[in-house]
Amino acid sequence: MLSRTADHLYWMSRYTERAENTARMLDVNYQTSLLPQSVEVAKYGWQGVLSISELLPLFQKKYDQILPERVMEFMVKDESNPSSILSCLRAARENARAVRGALTTEAWETQNTTWLEVNRMLRAGDFERDPGQFFEWVKFRSHLSRGVTLGTMLQDEAFYFSRLGTFLERADNTARLVDVKFHALNTEFFGAATEEDLEYDFYHWSSILRSVSAFEIYRKVYRDVIKPERVAELLMLRPDMPRSLHACLHEVVHNLEKVKNEQSTETRRRAGKLLADLQFGQVDEILATGLHAYLTQFLDRVNELGWRISQDFLVPTR
C-alpha cells in the first residue's frame, strides 16, 4: 500500500476517534458541573480539560477567563482549535475524501454525512440547546463509522491502518480522560478514604464510568459500590473492557503485526513492551507510585509509538 494512502486512512480514524473522545471528556465534565460544588472546584475542572488536552495556552491567547461556556465553545466549534470536535470531523472527512477509492461507498457516505450534519446542527443551535444530546450524537456517529468500516471493508492493509489509528487514539484519550478525573480530585489518598468520602463522591465516579460506557460493565464485573481504585483498574488493566488501556494496546499490537515491514521491528517491540506492562501490572502498585506519573509516562510512550508508526509506514509530516 502507498504510504500516503495508509496515512490518510490512519488519520481519518484518529480524527474520528478524537472527536468522539473530546465529546466524552466534555460530557463527563459537563455532567459533573451540574452537581453541587464551589465555583473554584468547577473552574478547576474546566481548566483540567484544557490542560490535559494541552490546549490551555491556546485557549488563554483567545480568552482572559476560564468560563464553562467559553471552554465548551472552544472545544466544540472553534475552527482555530485543531482538536475541536468540528475541526476533527472536518479533518476526518478530508482524509476520507483523499482516499475515496480505498473506502467502500458506505464508509465514505458515513464520513461525509457526519460532516454535513454537524455543520447543520451547529448552525441551528442544537449544541447550545442541549449539549448532552449533541455529545451523544457525536459518539453515535463515531460508533457508526467504526461499525460500517468493520462491516463493509475488506480486511486488508487499508482496514488494518484504519484500526491502528482508532486504537492508538483511543489509548491516548482514555489515559487523558482518567487523568483529568483522578488528577483534578488529587486522589492520592487511596486506601485512606473513608466510606463517607466514597459515598459522597459516588456521582463523580459514576459520571466518568458513564463517559466511557462502563457504568453497567463496572456493576457486572465488581458487583459492589464504586471505588476509585477499581475504576482505575477497569479503565486501565482489564483486557475485556473495550476502552481500557490494555484492550487498546492489544489491538495496536495486533494491527501492527498485520502491517509489519522491515523497518517496524523496534516499533513492534516497544508496543509489545507497553502491552506487557499493562498485562502484568497491578493497580495497587500503580497507585502506590502515583497514578498521574504513570499516566503521564504512558502518554509519552503512546506518543512515541505514534511517531514511530509515522516513520515506519506513513508520510511523516505531522
Side-chain angles (χ1 to χ4, degrees):
M1 170 176 284
L2 291 174
S3 61
R4 188 167 297 278
T5 301
D7 186 70
H8 284 302
L9 291 165
Y10 172 83
W11 282 103
M12 176 193 75
S13 295
R14 284 205 72 156
Y15 280 122
T16 301
E17 185 71 22
R18 188 174 300 177
E20 176 186 349
N21 282 285
T22 298
R24 288 178 179 277
M25 186 164 59
L26 287 171
D27 195 28
V28 67
N29 213 71
Y30 173 68
Q31 298 296 338
T32 303
S33 71
L34 300 178
L35 299 172
Q37 57 187 302
S38 69
V39 175
E40 265 321 294
V41 170
K43 179 182 176 182
Y44 190 79
W46 290 109
Q47 182 177 325
V49 170
L50 295 167
S51 298
I52 299 300
S53 303
E54 299 179 2
L55 291 169
L56 187 57
L58 185 61
F59 179 86
Q60 289 176 331
K61 285 182 181 179
K62 192 163 188 176
Y63 301 103
D64 58 356
Q65 192 176 1
I66 296 176
L67 298 173
E69 58 273 16
R70 289 179 178 176
V71 176
M72 297 268 272
E73 181 170 338
F74 179 72
M75 296 293 286
V76 170
K77 57 182 183 178
D78 192 330
E79 295 188 65
S80 68
N81 172 12
S83 292
S84 70
I85 290 174
L86 184 63
S87 295
C88 287
L89 293 180
R90 181 182 63 241
R93 189 257 188 183
E94 289 305 306
N95 276 285
R97 187 173 63 85
V99 287
R100 173 68 185 83
L103 299 173
T104 60
T105 299
E106 294 91 339
W108 158 248
E109 287 182 350
T110 300
Q111 291 287 347
N112 193 45
T113 301
T114 299
W115 169 243
L116 296 174
E117 187 68 7
V118 74
N119 278 279
R120 184 200 66 76
M121 292 173 72
L122 291 177
R123 284 196 302 269
D126 290 5
F127 166 62
E128 287 80 5
R129 276 194 296 274
D130 191 344
Q133 187 61 38
F134 177 80
F135 295 140
E136 285 299 319
W137 178 85
V138 174
K139 288 187 278 183
F140 171 77
R141 295 304 297 187
S142 180
H143 295 327
L144 183 61
S145 177
R146 279 195 306 277
V148 168
T149 299
L150 187 62
T152 67
M153 284 184 64
L154 181 68
Q155 294 192 14
D156 58 2
E157 285 190 332
F159 175 81
Y160 296 131
F161 277 113
S162 176
R163 299 282 284 178
L164 189 58
T166 292
F167 289 104
L168 198 66
E169 185 68 29
R170 184 180 295 181
D172 179 274
N173 279 281
T174 296
R176 290 179 189 276
L177 184 66
V178 172
D179 205 22
V180 165
K181 178 62 177 177
F182 282 75
H183 188 52
L185 292 181
N186 194 26
T187 50
E188 295 180 3
F189 57 79
F190 284 95
T194 65
E195 288 299 319
E196 289 76 14
D197 293 330
L198 299 178
E199 183 178 348
Y200 174 79
D201 212 28
F202 169 81
Y203 291 105
H204 290 279
W205 299 120
S206 63
S207 68
I208 190 174
L209 288 170
R210 290 183 192 281
S211 76
V212 289
S213 306
F215 184 77
E216 291 86 357
I217 292 174
Y218 183 97
R219 291 298 196 197
K220 185 174 183 180
V221 170
Y222 296 108
R223 301 177 184 276
D224 200 355
V225 297
I226 298 176
K227 297 181 179 180
E229 61 270 26
R230 288 182 172 175
V231 174
E233 181 181 54
L234 182 69
L235 300 186
M236 294 169 65
L237 303 180
R238 292 282 304 199
D240 49 359
M241 164 59 198
R243 307 193 73 86
S244 74
L245 303 185
H246 187 160
C248 292
L249 260 294
H250 174 78
E251 290 291 338
V252 168
V253 169
H254 170 74
N255 286 285
L256 271 175
E257 189 65 27
K258 293 291 187 179
V259 298
K260 65 183 179 181
N261 60 23
E262 295 175 357
Q263 298 172 259
S264 65
T265 302
E266 180 62 15
T267 301
R268 289 187 291 118
R269 186 190 74 81
R270 287 173 184 254
K273 188 172 185 298
L274 185 51
L275 175 60
D277 289 345
L278 293 165
Q279 283 178 324
F280 299 104
Q282 292 187 327
V283 71
D284 292 344
E285 293 177 356
I286 293 171
L287 297 175
T289 56
L291 183 64
H292 178 61
Y294 180 91
L295 290 171
T296 299
Q297 184 187 57
F298 178 86
L299 286 166
D300 288 342
R301 294 170 75 181
V302 165
N303 288 336
E304 185 188 24
L305 269 183
W307 178 82
R308 286 185 169 277
I309 288 168
S310 291
Q311 298 298 311
D312 292 344
F313 304 105
L314 312 177
V315 181
T317 58
R318 308 186 192 214

